Amino acid sequence: MKFFLDTADLNEIEEAASWGALAGVTTNPTLYSRVGGKLEDFHDHIKRICDIVGPDCPVSAESVAMNRDELVRDGRQLAAIAPNVVVKIPTMIDGLAATRALADEGIRVNMTLCFTVPQAMLAARAGARYISPFIGRFDDISEDGIEQVANIVDAVSNYDFTADTVGGEQIEVIAASIRSANHVTQCALMGADIATVPFGVLKKMVSHPLTDRGIESFLNDWEKVK
Ligand code: G3P
């Protein structure tokens, strides 16, 4: 399982990257607005994220265009920022068409706001490199987000989509809208390829009271050895 950071905050990305376990970054318009981002700085901001994480970490940058041609135009511009930029596109008819066009040009797409198995199947056949089902937003409407996302992970693993993806790469499911370390546990158990987590959740994933207590007692006992 790989971990992506779900944020547009450069400080959080720098900090998380220094921990050694970060494999990518996902952003969305909400996350960019949360850090005070402005439209005219968006491409520069994505470039700065790419520079922080390095060329091996995919960085998802979302298009807010609503029709195929604009999504494709936007996608090309976003992909030109850096080779590791992945164009994030919502699951909708024009989004599927744009994903196909961009994939045919060798541009990787992360198909987002994916909530059902049929949506995921279509996204995969349209050439999406990543599919992002949302856990927390399912929970928000009193559905079992974990169960829904596990269904998508299962369904995607039933088929070989490598003929549809850029360079025949393996499609990966990014479990998104993660709100707790327990969500991460469930994602690992269901076999999600990637979990994209907010920085707060990443911090919680590291710690446990028994770890803290154990470190403290080892340090105390080491004092006796000296
Ligand atoms: O990457 C998008 C997704 O993770 C959003 O999460 O908490 O706004 O539902 P949330």
Side-chain angles (χ1 to χ4, degrees):
M1 182 184 215
K2 289 185 269 193
F3 296 107
F4 287 7
L5 198 62
D6 199 25
T7 187
D9 186 312
L10 300 178
N11 293 325
E12 290 181 352
I13 294 165
E14 258 175 19
E15 173 72 20
S18 75
W19 295 0
L22 191 67
V25 174
T26 50
T27 66
N28 64 35
T30 304
L31 296 170
Y32 185 55
S33 76
R34 220 175 262 166
V35 295
K38 295 281 170 255
L39 177 62
E40 60 273 20
D41 301 326
F42 182 54
H43 284 206
D44 283 347
H45 195 85
I46 295 296
K47 176 79 174 77
R48 289 175 74 186
I49 295 175
C50 292
D51 288 344
I52 294 169
V53 296
D56 297 330
C57 286
V59 174
S60 288
E62 190 155 343
S63 171
V64 292
M66 283 294 121
N67 68 63
R68 178 201 177 276
D69 292 347
E70 282 175 24
L71 281 162
V72 171
R73 195 169 55 234
D74 223 13
R76 286 179 187 141
Q77 288 172 358
L78 290 169
I81 296 171
N84 51 328
V85 167
V86 174
V87 181
K88 212 172 175 190
I89 293 180
T91 309
M92 56 185 186
I93 292 171
D94 282 76
L96 290 169
T99 296
R100 177 78 276 153
L102 290 168
D104 287 347
E105 291 180 21
I107 294 172
R108 290 177 183 79
V109 171
N110 172 2
M111 191 131 251
T112 187
L113 291 166
C114 180
F115 289 92
T116 68
V117 169
Q119 284 180 316
M121 293 292 103
L122 287 170
R125 283 300 173 213
R129 172 64 177 77
Y130 301 94
I131 298 176
S132 292
F134 283 29
I135 295 173
R137 292 193 192 186
F138 257 127
D139 292 348
D140 291 343
I141 59 161
S142 304
E143 295 227 20
D144 184 344
I146 291 296
E147 188 186 342
Q148 303 292 345
V149 174
N151 286 343
I152 290 174
V153 169
D154 266 1
V156 170
S157 73
N158 283 340
Y159 302 98
D160 179 2
F161 294 104
T162 50
D164 297 290
T165 56
V166 174
E169 290 176 346
Q170 202 66 46
I171 195 166
E172 290 177 290
V173 175
I174 305 178
S177 188
I178 287 179
R179 309 271 173 81
S180 67
N182 187 47
H183 273 163
V184 177
T185 302
Q186 300 303 318
C187 287
L189 293 174
M190 76 172 72
D193 302 295
I194 298 159
T196 190
V197 297
F199 189 57
V201 171
L202 191 69
K203 281 196 285 191
K204 284 192 181 132
M205 286 164 56
V206 182
S207 59
H208 190 276
L210 290 178
T211 307
D212 296 342
R213 208 184 300 167
I215 291 171
E216 196 184 338
S217 71
F218 287 154
L219 288 177
N220 287 339
D221 291 340
W222 193 247
E223 284 304 312
K224 297 172 197 162
V225 175
K226 285 202 258 179

